[in-house]
């Protein structure tokens, strides 16, 4: 740890240990001895410049997410099944970019904006009219009988990706 703290930040800035103690730290690392003390104002300017450059580099891969409004239908990832399930925004939380959501099971959760996905689903009131339920614009699900017929023709694929071919002798 001493070697890490005695290593200079860059060629214009001293090591973190030197900045903290305001003197050279004795370590086994070879260092260049300077007779002049660096100007504290220039050091702080250089540190701020480095931090701003780090922020620019970090923000290259980011994007701004649009804010959500109460009553909007969203999808939230269920941590147990890893499926995106429908939910409704109930209100914006006091924390930045956080929302309280109401899931289809009736749970009230707080989620960050990046854990919510916008959907084009419309709201349809329940029979009681109090809660709102998303209306899915997808095709109706097939019954199990039709799924069994289509699965019979498809080859079985193992988890590793190998296709299991049934033996031809058994087809007699």
């Amino acid at each position: 740890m001493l070697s890490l703290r005695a290593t200079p930040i860059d060629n214009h800035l001293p090591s973190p240990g030197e900045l903290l103690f305001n003197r050279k730290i004795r370590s086994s690392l070879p260092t260049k001895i300077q007779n002049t003390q660096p100007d504290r104002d220039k050091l702080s300017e250089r540190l701020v410049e480095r931090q701003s450059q780090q922020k620019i580099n970090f923000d290259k891969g980011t994007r701004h997410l649009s804010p959500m409004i109460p009553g909007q239908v969203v999808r939230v990832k269920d941590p147990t099944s890893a499926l995106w399930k429908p939910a409704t925004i109930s209100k914006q939380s006091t924390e930045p970019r956080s929302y309280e959501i109401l899931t289809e099971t009736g749970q009230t959760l707080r989620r960050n904006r990046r854990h919510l996905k916008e959907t084009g689903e419309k709201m349809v009131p329940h029979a009681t009219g109090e809660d709102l339920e998303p209306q899915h614009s997808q095709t109706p699900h097939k019954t199990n009988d039709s799924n069994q017929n289509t699965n019979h023709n498809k080859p079985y694929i193992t988890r590793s990706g190998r296709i299991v071919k049934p033996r031809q002798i058994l087809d007699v």
Side-chain angles (χ1 to χ4, degrees):
M1 292 300 287
L2 177 65
S3 296
L4 182 65
R5 292 193 177 117
T7 305
I9 298 172
D10 67 7
N11 57 353
H12 300 293
L13 290 172
S15 69
E18 290 179 44
L19 290 173
L20 179 66
F21 297 124
N22 203 15
R23 64 176 180 84
K24 288 276 189 194
I25 296 177
R26 296 172 80 187
S27 70
S28 59
L29 290 175
T31 58
K32 180 180 177 184
I33 299 174
Q34 296 176 347
N35 294 333
T36 60
Q37 287 289 343
D39 186 16
R40 298 304 263 175
D41 294 332
K42 288 183 181 178
L43 288 179
S44 61
E45 286 176 17
R46 177 70 180 146
L47 283 172
V48 169
E49 180 183 320
R50 279 179 50 88
Q51 288 175 344
S52 64
Q53 186 61 42
Q54 287 174 344
K55 179 178 175 13
I56 290 169
N57 290 335
F58 179 80
D59 289 343
K60 282 181 183 176
T62 62
R63 62 187 167 110
H64 293 285
L65 297 172
S66 60
M68 298 187 159
I69 56 173
Q72 185 175 359
V73 180
V74 294
R75 292 280 175 155
V76 62
K77 192 169 190 177
D78 183 22
T80 57
S81 65
L83 296 174
W84 288 91
K85 299 200 173 181
T88 308
I89 302 285
S90 50
K91 69 175 187 174
Q92 187 168 2
S93 185
T94 56
E95 290 80 16
R97 297 175 304 278
S98 292
Y99 297 91
E100 287 187 18
I101 60 169
L102 181 65
T103 63
E104 59 185 3
T105 59
Q107 289 179 308
T108 301
L109 305 171
R110 191 185 82 181
R111 291 289 182 262
N112 192 293
R113 174 61 182 89
R114 67 186 178 135
H115 297 111
L116 302 172
K117 286 189 178 181
E118 295 182 51
T119 63
E121 299 169 339
K122 297 197 165 78
M123 300 299 289
V124 175
H126 271 279
T128 59
E130 294 177 12
D131 296 333
L132 296 177
E133 178 182 308
Q135 176 187 3
H136 305 288
S137 59
Q138 299 171 352
T139 59
H141 297 289
K142 296 179 182 178
T143 61
N144 290 339
D145 297 335
S146 63
N147 283 340
Q148 290 174 354
N149 291 340
T150 57
N151 288 340
H152 181 67
N153 297 336
K154 293 182 181 177
Y156 178 72
I157 301 175
T158 62
R159 285 186 358 193
S160 63
R162 187 178 70 85
I163 298 175
V164 178
K165 298 176 185 175
R167 295 178 57 183
Q168 297 298 327
I169 311 171
L170 302 175
D171 287 340
V172 180

